[in-house]
Amino acid sequence: MMDDLVRVSGSLRRRLMISLISGAAILSVLLFFVVRHYAAQIAQDSQDSILRASVSSILDAAVIRDGQVEVDFPYASFSMLDTDRDDRVFYGIYQDRRLLSGYADLPLPAGRIADEAQFSTALVDGTVVRQASATRMLIGASERTRIAVTVAQTQDALAGTLQDISRTVALFCALFFGLVTALSVVAASATIDPLSRLATSVARRGPQDLRPFEKQVPSELVPLVSSLNRLMGRLDQSLTRSEDFIAEAAHRVRTPLATVRTYAESTLQRVSRQENRDALRAMVRAIDESSRAATQLLDHAMITFRADHLERKDLDLGALVEDLVMRLSPIAEMKDVDLVFETQGPVAVSGDEILIQNAIRNLIDNALKYAPHETVVTIRVEHAPRPAVSIIDQGPGFPTQDMDGLTVRFARGDNAGGIIGSGLGLTIAKDVAVAHDGALTLSNTEKGGACVTLSF
């Protein structure tokens, strides 16, 4: 029912993971383009440096002889442009912007050409080329002239290099994304784990375990833990007041009832009229029922409070039951009922001694109430298949049609008749069994008597 009141708005772990992984994806894409751009720039600068060197070597070989410009091409000026993709190379030598040698389709850059090499992209024979251009003043014996040299190269090798770089960078970014994703999962788990541990710690606590949380928590959880501790403190005070109230109420009810019962019995001995004696007997019976109900209500409240934080210790179930049988024997003798105790030796069990005693005492008391005079109630302790106590009487047994509901609070069978009871004895025993991960089993014997088995 409480889970139905909680409205789920998503998972913090999933939100954190999505945020981290999304950030990693964006960072990976940015990293790919930045690294690829940087690598392309370096590759372009490398090609530009080679083109600059080629232009410089040609300019260095240009001279004026007899009024004519002569250029003795150095071998290295073009060999340095060789690539594994066999890129095509174009050149042009101009005197006062007039082509002296080279490719007429290779355009000379517009505007004034500086002495330092300048770079541009052009289109030659339908192919995109990268070109470098520079000028130099040649001085002869009686004249001077300015020549310009342009060297261009296709970019197939550069494109191939960029493709290789792109693949490498893409692989690196994919590995980076995978690593960051894995780290995001770990980081999300590590971040949420303190909250999960806190939730688990709260879930494992019983209603009576209201100790404050003293474990170290991240600073973000301090307000939550502080609020929980304050709530625990208020609940502890409330439960303490409730326990004190129940104990005080039971005491205040039973004490006057005991006094009234004493006076009623004393009066019964002095009254001779039958109708008065019958009235006093009815009064005594009502007082006994009220006293028993108060006692069992107190027992039930005590079991409810202790069930979620049992004070477990190793017990000998046989010795514990034998002690209860000895203490209840005088009550059985007053009802002309014999209590017979049977055991197969020590039976070890781990549990709360007070709760187990309370449950078995209620079961034996129930058997004594329903057992006819001069009959036997057998209390048997067994260790196999699991530790158990069976109480068998020779009374009317359980009504078959009511057996499934007899462990409900205040439920009594149709055969209860005039027997004093509150309908809490079996409920108390069942609660104790459940608290010890056991079971309470009701059955009838072949001869009609009731058999109650409390197993642990």
Side-chain angles (χ1 to χ4, degrees), residues 1-49:
M1 292 295 294
M2 294 298 295
D3 291 341
D4 296 338
L5 302 178
V6 179
R7 293 184 294 178
V8 179
S9 62
S11 168
L12 287 177
R13 186 192 304 272
R14 187 179 298 109
R15 290 182 185 177
L16 183 57
M17 287 177 56
I18 290 175
S19 299
L20 292 175
I21 292 174
S22 300
I26 295 173
L27 185 60
S28 298
V29 173
L30 290 177
L31 183 64
F32 172 79
F33 285 108
V34 169
V35 173
R36 186 181 182 280
H37 175 74
Y38 182 67
Q41 187 64 45
I42 292 176
Q44 189 66 73
D45 290 345
S46 177
Q47 186 186 35
D48 290 348
S49 297

Side-chain angles (χ1 to χ4, degrees), residues 2-189:
M2 294 298 295
D3 291 341
D4 296 338
L5 302 178
V6 179
R7 293 184 294 178
V8 179
S9 62
S11 168
L12 287 177
R13 186 192 304 272
R14 187 179 298 109
R15 290 182 185 177
L16 183 57
M17 287 177 56
I18 290 175
S19 299
L20 292 175
I21 292 174
S22 300
I26 295 173
L27 185 60
S28 298
V29 173
L30 290 177
L31 183 64
F32 172 79
F33 285 108
V34 169
V35 173
R36 186 181 182 280
H37 175 74
Y38 182 67
Q41 187 64 45
I42 292 176
Q44 189 66 73
D45 290 345
S46 177
Q47 186 186 35
D48 290 348
S49 297
I50 297 174
L51 289 172
R52 181 190 297 111
S54 178
V55 169
S56 297
S57 66
I58 295 174
L59 287 173
D60 290 342
V63 296
I64 297 179
R65 286 193 180 94
D66 300 329
Q68 299 291 326
V69 176
E70 297 182 1
V71 179
D72 185 10
F73 281 97
Y75 172 76
S77 61
F78 292 124
S79 63
M80 69 177 64
L81 296 173
D82 287 342
T83 64
D84 57 354
R85 300 293 181 95
D86 293 329
D87 279 321
R88 296 169 61 192
V89 177
F90 306 89
Y91 76 96
I93 302 175
Y94 301 86
Q95 181 180 10
D96 297 328
R97 305 191 72 85
R98 179 173 55 85
L99 181 66
L100 296 179
S101 176
Y103 293 83
D105 294 337
L106 182 64
L108 192 67
R112 183 178 181 277
I113 303 175
D115 292 342
E116 291 294 328
Q118 61 187 60
F119 303 94
S120 61
T121 301
L123 194 65
V124 179
D125 292 339
T127 303
V128 177
V129 296
R130 181 70 171 176
Q131 67 179 27
S133 302
T135 65
R136 182 166 297 177
M137 182 66 72
L138 297 182
I139 301 175
S142 60
E143 60 180 317
R144 51 194 297 173
T145 185
R146 179 174 291 277
I147 66 169
V149 175
T150 297
V151 177
Q153 184 181 28
T154 57
Q155 294 186 298
D156 295 339
L158 180 63
T161 300
L162 289 179
Q163 288 180 357
D164 294 339
I165 292 174
S166 297
R167 285 193 293 268
T168 302
V169 174
L171 178 61
F172 170 78
C173 290
L175 293 175
F176 172 78
F177 176 74
L179 178 61
V180 173
T181 299
L183 292 177
S184 298
V185 174
V186 175
S189 298

Side-chain angles (χ1 to χ4, degrees), residues 371-392:
H373 295 291
E374 299 182 354
T375 58
V376 175
V377 173
T378 303
I379 299 95
R380 183 179 300 138
V381 178
E382 300 173 317
H383 61 78
R386 55 194 300 185
V389 180
S390 297
I391 294 92
I392 306 166

Side-chain angles (χ1 to χ4, degrees), residues 330-350:
I331 299 175
E333 290 175 359
M334 292 175 59
K335 297 183 177 182
D336 295 327
V337 176
D338 292 332
L339 292 181
V340 176
F341 174 67
E342 299 178 359
T343 184
Q344 300 172 348
V347 178
V349 67
S350 175

Side-chain angles (χ1 to χ4, degrees), residues 364-444:
I364 296 175
D365 187 52
N366 271 357
L368 291 176
K369 287 192 305 180
Y370 288 93
H373 295 291
E374 299 182 354
T375 58
V376 175
V377 173
T378 303
I379 299 95
R380 183 179 300 138
V381 178
E382 300 173 317
H383 61 78
R386 55 194 300 185
V389 180
S390 297
I391 294 92
I392 306 166
D393 63 44
Q394 297 175 349
F398 296 113
T400 305
Q401 69 277 10
D402 298 334
M403 196 174 298
D404 293 337
L406 290 178
T407 56
V408 178
R409 282 185 299 176
F410 307 114
R412 304 189 71 190
D414 293 339
N415 61 347
I419 298 175
I420 296 174
S422 61
L424 285 174
L426 294 178
T427 304
I428 291 171
K430 182 180 179 181
D431 289 346
V432 172
V434 171
H436 289 81
D437 299 322
L440 183 72
T441 305
L442 308 183
S443 62
N444 289 322

